[in-house]
Amino acid sequence: MLGTSISAIHTGLMPEVIRVEADVSGGFPRFSIVGLPDSAITESKLRIRSAFRNSGLPFPQGRITVNLTPANFRKRGSGLDLAMAIAILRAAAILPADDGTTAFLGELRLSGELAPVETAVSLALRLQAANVERLVLAERQVVPPELAKYMQTIPAVKLTDVIAILTTSTHVNHVTPSVSVPPHDAKHETDLQPGLAALDGIRGKTAEKRLLAISAAGRLPLLLIGPPGIGKTLLATHLVDLFPDLDARTALATLAIRELTGPAGHLYRRPPLRMPHHSLTVAGLIGGGNPPQPGEVTLASEGVLLLDELFEFQRATLDALREPLTHHQVHLARAGRSATLPANFLLVATANPCPCGQRGYGECRCMESDVRRYWSRLSGPLADRIPLIVYLNRQPTTPVPPALDVSAQTLQARVQHAREQLDQSEDDTPSEPPFPRWLDDTAAAFLRKVNERILTSERARQQALRIARTISALEGRETVLKIDIEEAVLLRSHAHM
Ligand SMILES: [Zn+2]
C-alpha cells in the first residue's frame, strides 16, 4: 500500500517542497530510502524504527520503500524524519490518507520525541506558496507568532501527538506555538527608533536629511560625494532609518532570506542594512559559490545596500550591480539548477571626489588623468542607474526653509506616505509633451525649457521627473510644481560625470 506526505528542505539557495512516498509490501523485511538522500537521511531508518517502537507503534512488516521526490537533487539533513514516518503510517493504514493540506517538519529522536529543524520560516513560506494550509512541527521549534497569520502552525511534542492530531480532529483549532516576543523587538509607541534618534542628533544637515528622504521615498539610488571627514558615511548609514517598518509578510520574507545563510534569529520589523567590505567578490554581491549562498543584494532586499568608498570596490563587482539594480532580482544557476532570488534593495554609496579627496573642496594634488581614471570605475551603465549623484556641502550654503527642518520621525512618516502615494499612482511618465496630467502648467513649461538645455537624454528627463514627483509626494501633493522640477534638476546637476 502507498502512503504520502509533504515536507520541505533547504537546498542552499531556495527551499524545495518534498513529497514523500512510502510503499509497504509483503516479502523479506527491508527498509530503503531512495531519491538522492544524504547520509543523515539514510540514518533516518534507524531513528524512525526506534521512534515507532518507543512510541508503542507497530513497525510495518515486509518491504518498505521511501521515495523522496523530486528525485533530481541531493537531499540533506534530518528534517524529513517526521514526514517519512507519517508516510509510512499512512502506507500501513494506521493513519488516514494524505489530503495534501498538511505538511510536516521535524527530526525524530529515538524516544519518538520531535526535534526542531534548524530554520523553519523559509520552509513554511515555501510550503504556503505550494497551497499547504497547516504545518506540524516540533513544539520546541521557534517560529515568529506572525507566521500564524499566513499558515496554521501546529506544535507537537512527540510522534504520538501527531497521530492524535491527524486522527481525532480534521479541524484543529488555530494553534500558535508558545513563543514569546523577544524583548528587543518589543516596540512601544512612545519609544523612538534608535536610528531616528541618532539622525536627530546630527545637527545642521537639514538639506542632507531631505536628500535621504527623497532617496528613501522614491527608492532612488544615491551616491554621496565629498572629502574625507564630511560625514558622508554617517549619513549613508541613516538612509535605512527613514524607511517605514516592514509589514508582517515582508518581515517574514526577509527572515526567510536570512535563513538561507543559517539560523536567522528573530523577526525584525526594521528593514535590513548591509554594508559589505570593498573586497566583496561578484559571488559575494549577487550570490553563488560552493555551497551556494545568497549575495549582499539579496540579503539587503527590502532595505539598503551601502557601498562605502564605491571606487575601492572591484570593477567587476560594480558592473555586476547593473542587473539587480534594473530587475530587482538575480538569477543564479548552479549544477543544472537555477534559482531566482529577490534583490529589491536601495543602493547608497559614498565616494571621494578624486584620489586625494580634496577636488572642489580644498587643494587637490591629483593629475587630470588620475581623476579621469578614478571616475571611469563608475561605468556609464552603472552611473545611469544612480539618479541621485550629489556633492555634499561642507557648510550649508542655501538656507533651508524652517518648514523643512523637521524631526527624523516626521521625515519617516512623510516617506511612508509618499511611498503609498507613488505606489498607487500610474507609472506613465512621458517626459516630453504631452506631459502627464499631474504636471502643473508652469512646471510643464519649465520642464520644456530645461529639456532643451540641461536634460538632454531621455534617461535624464525620466530621472528628473521621478525625483520631482517624489519631492511632491513627500510634500503631500499630487501635483508636481515648478519648484519640484527645479529641485530635481539641481539634485541631478552632478549626474553627468
Ligand atoms: Zn585630488
Side-chain angles (χ1 to χ4, degrees), residues 353-360 363-367 371:
C354 65
C356 86
Q358 296 302 325
R359 199 176 187 82
E363 202 174 321
C364 171
R365 292 174 275 107
C366 308
M367 309 255 288
V371 177

Side-chain angles (χ1 to χ4, degrees), residues 398-480:
T398 44
V400 178
L404 299 181
D405 193 6
V406 295
S407 73
Q409 196 167 22
T410 304
L411 269 185
Q412 188 195 50
R414 288 185 185 174
V415 166
Q416 178 161 13
H417 177 84
R419 281 190 176 188
E420 285 160 9
Q421 186 182 317
L422 291 168
D423 287 346
Q424 280 165 12
S425 56
E426 320 137 53
D427 212 22
D428 63 323
T429 50
S431 63
E432 287 176 50
F435 288 120
R437 279 177 292 108
W438 40 260
L439 204 60
D440 163 72
D441 285 346
T442 331
F446 180 68
L447 184 63
R448 204 173 292 126
K449 210 161 68 185
V450 291
N451 275 358
E452 285 167 17
R453 300 194 346 251
I454 304 168
L455 303 170
T456 48
S457 78
E458 175 60 21
R459 187 183 288 272
R461 288 194 286 273
Q462 288 287 346
Q463 288 184 344
L465 218 49
R466 269 179 71 199
I467 298 167
R469 209 172 179 202
T470 304
I471 293 168
S472 73
L474 268 178
E475 302 298 323
R477 278 188 274 103
E478 298 276 352
T479 310
V480 173

